[in-house]
Amino acid sequence: MLVKTRAIVISSLKYQDKNLIVKCFTESDGLKSYFVRSAFSSSKNNQKMAYFQPMTLLEIEASHKNKGTLEHFREVRLATHYHSIPNDVVKSTITLFIAEMLHHSIHEEEKNEALFDFLYTAMAWLDNHKDTANFHLILLLEMTKFLGFYPDVSRIEDAFLDVLEGVFTDFPALNSLSEPETALFKKLLGLRFEDGHKAFHVSERQVLLRILIDYYSLHLDGFKKPKSLEVLREVFS
């Protein structure tokens, strides 16, 4: 079946000497993996390697057999051209980290247009704004809405967050954050991309990042911590 859709590149892996396997999160079909033959064999294809960098926004035409095997592109073009992300070490580190988080968070070929639209809009926002210190924290928290484990905020006035149950409680449980950690988390819950770039100190961001990674680990089977996590910590230290 020939499909025309927007797609977000999650990862690309060199296969043998000249080929490439590209994993994309597509608007039409969710997660898909594509085989790119002879990706390194010509100057024309080398130029297109830029299309397959993490979190690149694409418009594709592809042949989808939907048999659980690798699919094939018919045509690939940039949906939008990043202006600042490739040349900004902070933004490029954030982008790599987000791609790794998605790689470990999305496993099924299942359409999720709401998550796709959120990520697409978020990456465009990152490319066009300077104050991005809390971007990755806000994005990770917002993503849990679409992945199905956003915290229940009906009792947000309570002092402790049980991260296993995803609820606020009056008294600490085995899996509860401390009271200061819960207060930080509540503050994050109130932020959006366009505000709060000075909301946290460096040490507080590091605490929140640890909390969010642990939260994903508790709620997603087989979740692995991204390799770029330490680089991200260094960038924001």
Side-chain angles (χ1 to χ4, degrees):
M1 179 173 63
L2 185 62
V3 175
K4 296 182 180 181
T5 183
R6 295 186 297 172
I8 301 171
V9 177
I10 303 301
S11 65
S12 58
L13 177 68
K14 190 174 183 179
Y15 178 70
Q16 296 179 341
D17 288 332
K18 299 180 180 180
N19 308 315
L20 200 65
I21 296 173
V22 180
K23 183 178 289 187
C24 292
F25 184 50
T26 69
E27 186 174 22
S28 62
D29 295 275
L31 198 65
K32 285 285 184 182
S33 293
Y34 300 89
F35 183 75
V36 182
R37 188 181 302 278
S38 301
F40 302 93
S41 63
S42 72
S43 58
K44 181 180 178 182
N45 282 332
N46 281 334
Q47 187 177 9
K48 287 190 175 182
M49 285 300 297
Y51 293 3
F52 304 129
Q53 299 306 305
M55 301 307 292
T56 301
L57 307 179
L58 301 175
E59 291 179 355
I60 66 171
E61 293 184 17
S63 177
H64 285 181
K65 294 182 179 180
N66 298 317
K67 293 182 179 180
T69 56
L70 295 173
E71 312 289 12
H72 292 82
F73 293 120
R74 293 286 187 90
E75 186 176 345
V76 180
R77 55 187 174 272
L78 292 176
T80 186
H81 179 74
Y82 288 142
H83 298 287
S84 66
I85 290 175
N87 304 310
D88 185 311
V89 65
V90 174
K91 289 184 180 182
S92 59
T93 302
I94 290 172
T95 298
L96 179 60
F97 171 73
I98 292 167
E100 282 199 79
M101 286 295 295
L102 289 170
H103 177 76
H104 294 304
S105 301
I106 305 173
H107 303 293
E108 298 179 3
E109 293 187 9
E110 185 173 317
K111 188 176 184 178
N112 191 334
E113 285 186 86
L115 176 57
F116 182 91
D117 286 340
F118 168 72
L119 292 170
Y120 197 95
T121 302
M123 291 308 301
W125 190 96
L126 177 65
D127 191 49
N128 288 292
H129 290 79
K130 294 181 179 180
D131 298 322
T132 58
N134 298 318
F135 176 86
H136 58 299
L137 302 175
I138 297 168
L139 183 134
L140 289 187
L141 182 56
E142 288 294 305
M143 271 175 51
T144 64
K145 291 179 179 178
F146 308 101
L147 296 173
F149 53 96
Y150 189 76
D152 180 353
V153 296
S154 61
R155 295 183 56 182
I156 196 170
E157 70 282 353
D158 288 349
F160 302 95
L161 174 65
D162 184 328
V163 289
L164 182 60
E165 299 298 328
V167 297
F168 289 92
T169 61
D170 279 329
F171 301 98
L174 181 63
N175 296 289
S176 290
L177 301 180
S178 68
E179 196 165 352
E181 289 173 338
T182 300
L184 273 181
F185 196 88
K186 288 180 183 180
K187 192 173 182 180
L188 181 62
L189 282 167
L191 297 184
R192 297 297 176 262
F193 292 140
E194 62 272 11
D195 57 31
H197 64 278
K198 295 181 179 179
F200 303 111
H201 298 300
V202 171
S203 60
E204 292 175 328
R205 289 193 191 98
Q206 300 286 20
V207 169
L208 283 167
L209 183 58
R210 173 184 57 77
I211 290 170
L212 287 164
I213 295 296
D214 289 346
Y215 192 56
Y216 272 69
S217 299
L218 283 170
H219 290 272
L220 293 174
D221 290 337
F223 178 82
K224 296 179 181 178
K225 294 181 180 180
K227 294 179 181 178
S228 59
L229 180 59
E230 289 306 316
V231 179
L232 186 74
R233 284 172 173 158
E234 286 296 320
V235 166
F236 283 104
S237 63

